[in-house]
Amino acid sequence: MSCNCARTACNTSIDYTLVPGDHILPFEFTLDLENSNLYPEAGENQRFCYTVRGMGEDNSDFADLSHFVLGVCPEITEDMLENVSVVIDGVPQEVEIGENVEIRTEAQPDPTTGCAGLKVDFGLDKVDGVMQFCFELTRPFAIGAVQVCVKGGQQTASGLAICGPVCGGETSCTVYGSQRATVCVPVTVTPFATVGDTVTRCCGNPTVTPGTAVCPGTLMGSCVFTISQDVCITVPVAFGAAAVVGRYSVLCGGATTGDNCPNCGVTN
């Protein structure tokens, strides 16, 4: 098996916990480089393994995962898939290609998310569920950013992309774009005060009175006093953004033999 060295400019981990919605889909996706074979040698299949983890809380703000769609190269067909496996919380699941694991095309995308790609129709608990999903391809594809679409309850989310099989050869040309933006978010600070353990100490010597005496003060009363304290409240706020590419266009130039593009200005 060849090395899965960092030779791509895509994310190996994405987290939908940070994406807002009516219900948060709190799932982290990670490309398992140790068990993947991204750059296979002759005679080997290309292998992708992903770990999906539930990172939410047990309340109505979060939703369990229903299924997800990994946006693979449209050239990939179901007959190219081999050794597909799904393990949930340590228990292997029965995989049926074309049923609970299937290719959805742009002409027939996943009905709920509207996404095309490799649909994995297995659910996962939002709090601490763990899924390992692996598949092999009978021929290698280039490695690049592919969108992951998720569905849970009545909520869908998309826009985050992870390393996966994209159309093209073994190499790719990566370009970068930047967008300057001003992000504004309101922050509400609600003070609170909690009472710790009380401490009782004796003040002076006790007074002992023989017989039955009437105690001074209010019967079953309470003592009330007020504490005032200035506080400094620091609120950390992290900003970020998710980027989604649109439909691409290409303007073809000249062609030539050899491994260098004409008038490219770059020699490999």
Side-chain angles (χ1 to χ4, degrees), residues 44-226:
E44 295 181 335
N45 284 345
Q46 189 177 36
R47 181 175 175 83
F48 294 86
C49 285
Y50 298 90
T51 300
V52 187
R53 294 183 182 276
M55 310 286 285
E57 300 176 9
D58 190 14
N59 60 55
S60 59
D61 291 337
F62 301 89
D64 293 324
L65 182 68
S66 168
H67 65 268
F68 67 90
V69 181
L70 182 72
V72 299
C73 171
E75 297 176 7
I76 296 175
T77 58
E78 290 179 358
D79 58 6
M80 295 181 184
L81 299 174
E82 290 188 352
N83 298 320
V84 181
S85 64
V86 175
V87 178
I88 298 178
D89 298 333
V91 180
Q93 306 296 305
E94 184 176 351
V95 174
E96 297 182 11
I97 304 299
E99 297 294 333
N100 50 22
V101 174
E102 60 178 330
I103 296 290
R104 305 296 303 199
T105 64
E106 292 186 2
Q108 293 183 316
D110 174 43
T112 54
T113 63
C115 296
L118 184 56
K119 179 178 179 179
V120 182
D121 198 4
F122 286 89
L124 193 64
D125 184 76
K126 61 189 177 183
V127 179
D128 53 9
V130 179
M131 179 192 300
Q132 286 87 29
F133 169 59
C134 295
F135 65 94
E136 295 182 1
L137 299 173
T138 54
R139 72 176 179 88
F141 285 78
I143 310 300
V146 297
Q147 181 175 237
V148 178
C149 303
V150 291
K151 168 71 164 56
Q154 301 301 314
Q155 184 73 33
T156 62
S158 61
L160 300 186
I162 198 169
C163 291
V166 297
C167 297
E170 285 288 337
T171 59
S172 63
C173 172
T174 302
V175 296
Y176 298 88
S178 299
Q179 172 69 57
R180 181 171 178 173
T182 300
V183 182
C184 176
V185 60
V187 177
T188 301
V189 177
T190 303
F192 63 88
T194 59
V195 178
D197 295 336
T198 60
V199 177
T200 302
R201 299 184 180 90
C202 294
C203 300
N205 296 319
T207 299
V208 179
T209 303
T212 300
V214 177
C215 295
T218 303
L219 183 64
M220 302 300 293
S222 299
C223 296
V224 178
F225 65 97
T226 301

Side-chain angles (χ1 to χ4, degrees), residues 233-252:
I233 300 172
T234 301
V235 181
V237 179
F239 291 96
V244 181
V245 299
R247 302 179 66 179
Y248 67 84
S249 299
V250 60
L251 179 63
C252 297

